[in-house]
Amino acid sequence: MALVLADRVQETTTTTGTTDFALGGAVTGFQTFTAGVGNSNTCYYAALLPNTTEWEVGLGTLSSDGLTLARTSVYSSSTGSKISFSAGSKFVFVTYPAEKSVNLDASGNVSALGTVSSGVWNGTAI
């Protein structure tokens, strides 16, 4: 099981409540999770119910048959926790969550990511 980032992966789902997403097929112009992420792999996802305030971003695990995306960890949402989605057709797609990104500050430097107490960087002990 690998973490996979992929472009243009988007499917629909009619899943309600807080259960895992039963994937309903690719949106026109996009690929399925199976094609982009690969069965049994993990990916960052976003899900939303159009024309509502219901949305969620997290880490998902694609089932071995590619039919279900498990909502493994929720990082952010419109309520601050796992969304209990209402009825209707939702979009589920691969994304790159803000809290997992590495960014340059205004001076072009990588923002502090924590403290390294020891290790090896490019063959040099630190």
Side-chain angles (χ1 to χ4, degrees):
M1 176 169 55
L3 175 65
V4 176
L5 298 176
D7 295 325
R8 302 200 55 77
V9 173
Q10 184 172 328
E11 294 198 46
T12 60
T13 184
T14 56
T15 299
T16 59
T18 59
T19 59
D20 296 337
F21 297 119
L23 300 172
V27 173
T28 301
F30 292 84
Q31 59 183 331
T32 63
F33 277 84
T34 294
V37 173
N39 296 352
S40 301
N41 288 325
T42 61
C43 65
Y44 299 125
Y45 74 89
L48 63 93
L49 178 57
N51 303 313
T52 73
T53 59
E54 297 179 20
W55 62 269
E56 177 178 295
V57 175
L59 176 72
T61 304
L62 190 59
S63 61
S64 61
D65 61 8
L67 300 176
T68 305
L69 185 68
R71 297 158 77 178
T72 308
S73 298
V74 174
Y75 299 140
S76 61
S77 73
S78 53
T79 65
S81 60
K82 186 182 275 190
I83 296 294
S84 181
F85 279 102
S86 302
S89 185
K90 293 140 208 83
F91 295 112
V92 183
F93 53 93
V94 172
T95 193
Y96 189 46
E99 78 173 51
K100 297 297 181 181
S101 67
V102 177
N103 301 290
L104 300 179
D105 64 18
S107 300
N109 299 310
V110 174
S111 302
L113 302 174
T115 303
V116 176
S117 57
S118 65
V120 176
W121 178 257
N122 289 337
T124 303
I126 53 173

